[in-house]
Amino acid sequence: MASVEALAEAFSRLPELVRAAVDGLDAHQLSLRPGGSANSIAWLIWHLTRVEDSHLADAFGRDELWLTGGYADRWGLELDRTDTGYGHSSAQVDSVKVASAEQLLDYFDAVHDLSQGLVAGLSDADLGRVVDERWDPPVTLLVRLVSVVDDAVQHAGQAAYARGIILAGGQPSPV
C-alpha cells in the first residue's frame, strides 16, 4: 500500500468515530463536561474539526471552510473567528455550545469531505513537500497529515469516553 493510500484509509475512519460519539445525544448532553472540568463532546468534535480545517487549509493553500462556508457566522461563538480551541481556558470550552449533533456533523462532514478529496489527489511524491518552516526540522505534508489524523482520533476517543460517562449518568470514579 502506498503512503497516500494509507493516509486515505486513516482519514476514512474518522466519520464513524465522530458519529458514534454524538449519535442520539441532545444539545444538553453534548455540552456536559464530565467531572465538571473535562472537555465537552461539543467542544471535542468542534475542535478536532477546526484543527482538520485549519491545518489542511494551511497545507494546501486554501481558505478555511469555517470562514468561507459561513460556519463561523452560523455558530456565532464568542471566540476569535480563527480560533481552533488550542489552549482554551475552561470558560472558552464552556462557550462552545451547539443546538444539536447535526450542527457538529454538518461542519465535520463538509471539512472531512474536502480533506478526503485533497488527500485522494496526492501522490507519494507530494508528501515530502515542506508545509511549515517554523519548526526544526520543517514540517512536511506527510507529517502534517499524520498529525491531523492523530489529533482527530485522540479527540474522538475522548468524546466517546465522555459519551459513556454521560449516558451512564455518572462521573468517572477516582482510581
Side-chain angles (χ1 to χ4, degrees), residues 52-112:
E52 185 174 337
D53 190 7
S54 70
H55 281 41
L56 270 70
D58 184 56
F60 287 91
R62 64 164 183 80
D63 293 326
E64 295 177 30
L65 285 179
W66 180 251
L67 303 172
T68 62
Y71 296 98
D73 293 331
R74 285 194 300 277
W75 282 51
L77 300 179
E78 294 181 14
L79 299 169
D80 183 284
R81 292 170 53 82
T82 61
D83 197 332
T84 64
Y86 182 77
H88 266 189
S89 67
S90 185
Q92 289 170 311
V93 171
D94 278 339
S95 74
V96 177
K97 302 285 187 201
V98 295
S100 66
E102 290 74 28
Q103 182 181 352
L104 287 164
L105 293 173
D106 181 48
Y107 177 46
F108 172 80
D109 287 342
V111 168
H112 190 71

Side-chain angles (χ1 to χ4, degrees), residues 7 12 17 53 60 90 97 110 123 144 149 157 167:
L7 285 167
S12 76
L17 297 173
D53 190 7
F60 287 91
S90 185
K97 302 285 187 201
S123 70
R144 181 57 44 90
V149 170
L167 291 179

Side-chain angles (χ1 to χ4, degrees), residues 115-135:
S115 297
Q116 284 190 292
L118 292 169
V119 170
L122 295 172
S123 70
D124 280 358
D126 295 322
L127 299 177
R129 179 173 57 87
V130 172
V131 296
D132 191 343
E133 294 185 0
R134 296 173 294 177
W135 299 90

